[in-house]
Amino acid sequence: MKLGLTILALLCGFSSAKAQQWQSSYQQTELIELFTSEGCSSCPKADQWLSSLKDDPSLFKSFVPIAFHVDYWDYIGWEDRFARPEFSQRQRRYDREKLISQVYTPGIIINSQEWRAWFRGATQWPDSSSPTGRLTANLQGDHLHVTFEQDQTYNLYVAYLGMGLETARVNAGENKGRTLRHDFVVMSMQSVKGNRDWRLKLLPPPDIGQQQTALALWISLPNSQQVIQALGGYLQSSE
């Protein structure tokens, strides 16, 4: 289930969707990354906190929340259906780049910097944005055109996010007997290198039971996961 630069035939429902545009400000939009797992007993509280951000009026304006489900807790009895090895590798790379202290869940990273104040009861992170440049995305059917003002090579990341997901029958592991609810779940992700201008043809978003789908985009330098700029928004229905 990956986004891709594909030359598949147009799919009627997806390609007939209305044109959409998203644009960041000149200030850095904060990318909030939650590394979580359905096999981790301390993760549901962090999942709930991330879900609460969907009611924030600044959602997709000054911050973009995303949840990466990691697979390294699957061995303890419950296999997280949202987990992917590449999501675990993303967190491990943050560790290798010394941007976080260690690999753990729940782990919260804001603008590529570890945020541990949540464990002490904080619900609002400090403003860490700075002037970076404007990122713009235009989606016409399944064609995505992304531009950035700075003339430099970057990695563009594009992810579909699932909203209103639920696992009602956890029958093993640390969360046995619980019903787990999730928002902003990364369902698929792809990265493409480019210089200021990217043109992609997207596969349709995965259908895994989400109530709504959003799109998140961000750019990083080619040799680092340090986030430069981000944006996102809900996809409009094709109906």
Side-chain angles (χ1 to χ4, degrees):
M1 296 191 300
K2 289 185 177 181
L3 293 169
L5 298 175
T6 177
I7 52 175
L8 294 174
L10 294 177
L11 297 180
C12 295
F14 187 58
S15 62
S16 62
K18 297 178 181 178
Q20 292 182 259
Q21 182 181 83
W22 302 281
Q23 189 173 69
S24 73
S25 69
Y26 292 103
Q27 293 290 117
Q28 185 178 26
T29 301
E30 295 172 320
L31 186 70
I32 301 172
E33 300 178 59
L34 170 64
F35 290 88
T36 185
S37 170
E38 289 193 334
C40 157
S41 62
S42 55
C43 286
K45 186 176 179 180
D47 295 331
Q48 292 167 12
W49 169 75
L50 198 74
S51 290
S52 72
L53 300 180
K54 66 187 177 184
D55 299 320
D56 193 305
S58 296
L59 174 64
F60 297 134
K61 296 176 183 177
S62 62
F63 67 87
V64 176
I66 58 178
F68 288 107
H69 284 240
V70 298
D71 67 344
Y72 50 78
W73 295 124
D74 286 359
Y75 78 94
I76 61 177
W78 178 254
E79 189 170 320
D80 188 337
R81 67 189 176 105
F82 307 117
R84 300 288 184 275
E86 57 266 34
F87 301 163
S88 302
Q89 289 302 317
R90 180 174 177 83
Q91 189 182 29
R92 293 187 179 107
R93 184 175 175 184
Y94 270 129
D95 184 45
R96 291 196 302 272
E97 293 183 16
K98 308 299 182 184
L99 295 172
I100 61 174
S101 60
Q102 63 189 85
V103 173
Y104 60 93
T105 57
I108 301 172
I109 300 175
I110 301 177
N111 285 353
S112 307
Q113 300 297 318
E114 188 173 29
W115 186 57
R116 296 185 63 90
W118 179 85
F119 292 97
R120 301 190 294 273
T123 58
Q124 182 60 51
W125 58 95
D127 181 10
S128 58
S129 63
S130 58
T132 56
R134 180 166 284 172
L135 185 66
T136 302
N138 289 275
L139 180 64
Q140 175 66 59
D142 54 3
H143 292 269
L144 179 66
H145 182 205
V146 181
T147 59
F148 186 55
E149 294 179 333
Q150 303 299 327
D151 187 8
Q152 190 171 343
T153 298
Y154 299 96
N155 281 337
L156 168 69
Y157 293 85
V158 183
Y160 283 122
L161 309 181
M163 306 293 294
L165 289 161
E166 180 177 290
T167 299
R169 297 178 180 177
V170 178
N171 55 29
E174 293 186 355
N175 288 312
K176 183 177 180 179
R178 301 183 70 170
T179 294
L180 303 178
R181 296 178 176 86
H182 312 288
D183 292 291
F184 305 107
V185 174
V186 177
M187 302 186 294
S188 62
M189 181 180 70
Q190 181 73 24
S191 66
V192 183
K193 186 178 292 186
N195 189 316
R196 297 185 61 178
D197 191 285
W198 297 263
R199 296 178 186 271
L200 297 80
K201 189 174 181 183
L202 305 181
L203 290 173
D207 184 358
I208 58 174
Q210 69 270 23
Q211 295 177 0
Q212 196 171 10
T213 303
L215 196 67
L217 306 94
W218 65 95
I219 56 172
S220 300
L221 293 174
N223 298 317
S224 173
Q225 287 191 159
Q226 180 73 48
V227 175
I228 305 299
Q229 185 58 291
L231 57 77
Y234 289 114
L235 293 182
Q236 295 177 358
S237 173
S238 59
E239 297 179 357

